C-alpha cells in the first residue's frame, strides 16, 4: 500500500488501517513514539487513529471547530509547531493525560485539508528525548500531511 502511495497510484478508499500504517511508517522512520489523527465527526475533530498515546489522552483528545487553534491556524491550512510551554494554553492542557503531558516537550498540529476545508488534524507530540536528539524536517511533515490527505 505505501509503495502505491510513493508511486503516485490512486489509493483505495479511506480506512483506519491505511492511515495508521502511513503514520506508523512515518514515526518509525523519524524515530518518534507518538502521533494521532483526528477526523471530523459531528462538528468536532475526534480521534480516529492513535499511536503511542495513553487511553486517557485518546479519550480527551478532541477539538471543536470554534476553538482558537482551529479557527486561527488549522482552518487556514497552517501547520502549528508549539515549541515552548506546550500546555500553557488550557486548550491543549485539557486534551492530554498528565502522564503524556509530562513527557511532551513540543507539539506539531498538522491540518489535513480537502477542497479548502479542514477534514482532519494530525497531532505529532515530541518527547524531551526526541527533541534533544533530532530536529523534525518540515518537508517530511508536509509529506505525511499529503500522504494522509490522500485517504480522506
Amino acid at each position: 500500500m505505501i509503495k502505491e502511495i510513493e508511486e503516485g497510484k490512486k489509493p483505495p478508499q479511506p480506512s483506519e488501517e491505511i492511515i495508521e500504517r502511513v503514520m506508523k511508517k512515518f514515526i518509525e522512520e523519524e524515530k518518534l513514539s507518538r502521533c494521532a489523527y483526528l477526523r471530523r465527526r459531528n462538528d468536532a475533530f475526534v480521534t480516529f487513529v492513535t499511536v503511542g498515546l495513553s487511553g486517557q489522552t485518546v479519550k480527551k483528545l478532541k477539538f471543536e471547530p470554534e476553538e482558537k487553534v482551529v479557527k486561527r491556524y488549522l482552518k487556514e491550512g497552517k501547520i502549528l509547531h508549539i515549541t515552548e510551554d506546550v500546555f500553557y494554553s488550557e486548550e491543549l492542557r485539557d486534551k492530554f493525560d498528565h502522564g503524556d503531558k509530562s513527557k511532551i516537550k513540543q507539539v506539531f498540529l498538522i491540518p489535513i485539508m480537502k477542497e479548502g476545508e479542514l477534514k482532519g488534524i494530525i497531532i505529532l507530540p515530541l518527547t524531551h528525548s526526541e527533541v534533544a536528539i533530532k530536529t523534525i524536517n518540515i518537508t517530511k511533515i508536509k509529506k505525511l500531511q499529503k500522504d494522509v490527505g490522500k485517504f480522506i
Side-chain angles (χ1 to χ4, degrees):
M1 170 52 54
I2 292 171
K3 187 175 181 181
E4 288 178 32
I5 294 169
E6 293 168 352
E7 292 174 0
K9 294 180 183 174
K10 186 171 174 120
Q13 294 298 311
S15 81
E16 183 176 349
E17 183 180 307
I18 294 168
I19 292 172
E20 183 176 24
R21 223 178 311 153
V22 169
M23 290 176 48
K24 279 184 175 181
K25 180 178 186 253
F26 175 81
I27 66 171
E28 184 179 299
E29 287 175 353
E30 294 302 310
K31 297 175 178 45
L32 302 175
S33 58
R34 297 166 172 76
C35 67
Y37 174 67
L38 283 60
R39 71 176 181 175
R40 190 173 196 132
R41 174 143 304 158
N42 300 329
D43 289 335
F45 294 92
V46 297
T47 54
F48 184 59
V49 174
T50 61
V51 178
L53 292 168
S54 72
Q56 287 301 103
T57 292
V58 171
K59 290 176 189 174
K60 294 178 173 189
L61 207 50
K62 175 181 172 183
F63 283 91
E64 300 291 336
E66 62 276 351
E67 288 184 58
K68 199 177 348 178
V69 71
V70 175
K71 285 182 3 184
R72 284 179 139 172
Y73 301 101
L74 301 175
K75 277 189 175 179
E76 300 297 320
K78 297 175 184 174
I79 294 173
L80 183 60
H81 183 197
I82 304 166
T83 59
E84 292 188 26
D85 295 327
V86 172
F87 300 109
Y88 175 76
S89 162
E90 203 173 294
E91 246 180 302
L92 284 180
R93 186 179 329 127
D94 295 341
K95 296 181 187 327
F96 290 83
D97 181 60
H98 177 73
D100 285 325
K101 282 193 288 196
S102 67
K103 299 171 189 159
I104 296 171
K105 174 77 172 158
Q106 296 182 11
V107 172
F108 280 95
L109 298 174
I110 306 157
I112 302 299
M113 309 291 287
K114 185 116 183 178
E115 299 171 1
E117 187 179 340
L118 182 63
K119 296 291 187 177
I121 304 165
I122 296 173
I123 300 174
L124 194 60
L126 306 177
T127 65
H128 294 273
S129 60
E130 290 165 349
V131 169
I133 62 170
K134 183 166 187 103
T135 301
I136 303 300
N137 183 326
I138 193 70
T139 304
K140 291 182 180 182
I141 286 177
K142 287 182 178 182
K143 182 180 180 333
L144 172 66
Q145 182 183 36
K146 183 179 175 185
D147 289 347
V148 170
K150 290 178 183 178
F151 298 101
I152 304 309

